[in-house]
Amino acid sequence: MVSVRSEEETTALCALLQQAFAIAVRVAQPAQEMAGVRNGYEDFQRLGMDRWLGALGAFHLAKGACLVIDFGTAAKADFVAADGEHLGGYICPGMPLMRSQLRTHTRRIRYDDASAERALNSLGPGRSTVEAVER
């Protein structure tokens, strides 16, 4: 299993899976080196498994230097050199998190979920706050 959750949440999930399906769950962990890729983090265990597996998969598919871009809760970019060295990367909030922060922490940006959904009927430049944020 791959998990980027806390140690406690991952342990609890493993226990539930073991109980429900009578299986042994193994949790993937980052490595210093694997499949021709060298983990570029100073503390290799701190590189999230989503990013590590993305780097391994991309290097395998590209058979050389690559840039891995992942858009999810966070937008992530990782660089792998032609020799397999993970050069590091960038992490920034993804669109769902940025929208949530704007709606939660900006007084003048307030709208309901139905308005947000309607705003996505088009991808043209927003002509209202809800359209500008959601698009």
Side-chain angles (χ1 to χ4, degrees):
M1 177 175 74
V2 173
S3 176
V4 293
R5 299 211 172 256
S6 72
E7 193 76 32
E8 296 78 26
E9 290 173 310
T10 301
T11 300
L13 181 57
C14 287
L16 286 171
L17 290 169
Q18 289 170 342
Q19 181 181 7
F21 300 106
I23 59 171
V25 179
R26 294 192 178 143
V27 179
Q29 299 293 326
Q32 286 182 309
E33 186 170 343
M34 180 178 279
V37 179
R38 289 178 310 286
N39 190 318
Y41 260 34
E42 292 174 15
D43 178 358
F44 76 92
Q45 293 176 319
R46 300 285 300 165
L47 179 60
M49 281 304 298
D50 53 343
R51 294 176 58 210
W52 177 236
L53 292 177
L56 292 174
F59 186 76
H60 173 76
L61 290 172
K63 309 239 185 299
C66 54
L67 167 61
V68 183
I69 299 177
D70 178 5
F71 294 107
T73 303
K76 298 166 287 221
D78 280 282
F79 299 86
V80 181
D83 68 355
E85 181 72 24
H86 172 245
L87 302 173
Y90 299 96
I91 303 172
C92 69
M95 291 303 295
L97 186 55
M98 286 192 286
R99 284 183 186 116
S100 172
Q101 290 299 300
L102 281 171
R103 288 176 69 180
T104 302
H105 297 289
T106 307
R107 287 191 185 275
R108 297 192 57 125
I109 298 180
R110 298 278 191 247
Y111 52 87
D112 59 31
D113 291 339
S115 298
E117 193 169 319
R118 280 192 306 276
L120 293 176
N121 288 333
S122 167
L123 295 180
R127 296 179 58 106
S128 67
T129 299
V130 63
E131 289 176 355
V133 171
E134 293 298 318
R135 295 177 189 171

